[in-house]
Amino acid sequence: MAEDNNTPQAGAAADEKPQLKFSLQRIYVKDISFEAPNSPSVFKQAFKPKVNLDLNTTSTKIADDQYEVVVKVTAQVNDNETGTTSFLAEVEQAGLFRIAGIEGAQLDQTLGAFCPNLLFPYARECVDNLVNRGGFPPLMLAPVNFEAMYAQRKQREAQQAQKAEENTH
């Protein structure tokens, strides 16, 4: 009789939700680029940088429960007075994630906000190292709130959908 208490009943197992699983399997640099088109003349003048930063995230389903998430950071630094380009650094920091038991909007938010939050510190360090190796002072990127970026993107998508619906009526 004691053995019967330890085995799950068939009905109980069928009613259970799939178990939530989340793991980061690998972090890697997918693409990296550094250009200093005006060197060495750029080093002869005082460094007065104007930083233009572009940040994007993408996700791709690789298998049933495996996703690749990529954070792309593009930093273009120009001289504040002359406008000439000091350098352009691009890094695509990627991660391979195993995610199961999460679906719909929750999965979308995980891939669009949570995973990029895990990857961004690696991208920051990579950009900083790349810029330093290019002979420039470190470019310490500020932390990014991917939750807020995700919410803004969803709000824009909802507004665009509403405008499209209004235009069809």
Side-chain angles (χ1 to χ4, degrees), residues 29-167:
V29 173
K30 188 169 181 110
D31 191 16
I32 194 167
S33 172
F34 181 83
E35 299 172 31
N38 295 306
S39 61
S41 62
V42 72
F43 298 121
K44 295 179 183 177
Q45 54 194 341
F47 189 62
K48 297 175 185 168
K50 178 182 177 190
V51 179
N52 296 316
L53 186 65
D54 188 32
L55 195 57
N56 284 314
T57 64
T58 57
S59 62
T60 307
K61 187 173 186 172
I62 305 298
D64 282 344
D65 61 349
Q66 195 171 43
Y67 298 85
E68 179 189 55
V69 177
V70 179
V71 174
K72 182 177 181 181
V73 180
T74 304
Q76 181 172 351
V77 176
N78 300 323
D79 183 89
N80 202 23
E81 292 177 3
T82 65
T84 59
T85 301
S86 299
F87 64 84
L88 175 68
E90 291 180 314
V91 172
E92 288 186 19
Q93 187 71 52
L96 202 53
F97 295 87
R98 186 166 299 278
I99 303 171
I102 301 174
E103 298 176 355
Q106 191 178 16
L107 176 61
D108 191 47
Q109 185 172 9
T110 299
L111 295 171
F114 186 74
C115 293
N117 272 330
L118 293 174
L119 295 173
F120 187 68
Y122 295 94
R124 284 177 62 193
E125 189 263 337
C126 191
V127 168
D128 184 51
N129 192 329
L130 193 59
V131 169
N132 203 357
R133 287 178 181 258
F136 294 90
L139 182 65
M140 299 298 293
L141 300 177
V144 174
N145 184 342
F146 285 96
E147 292 288 338
M149 285 178 59
Y150 175 80
Q152 289 171 352
R153 187 178 85 224
K154 286 298 180 187
Q155 186 178 22
R156 276 194 311 272
E157 289 173 1
Q159 289 171 348
Q160 289 172 349
Q162 184 179 8
K163 284 181 184 178
E165 188 176 311
E166 290 172 359
N167 290 337

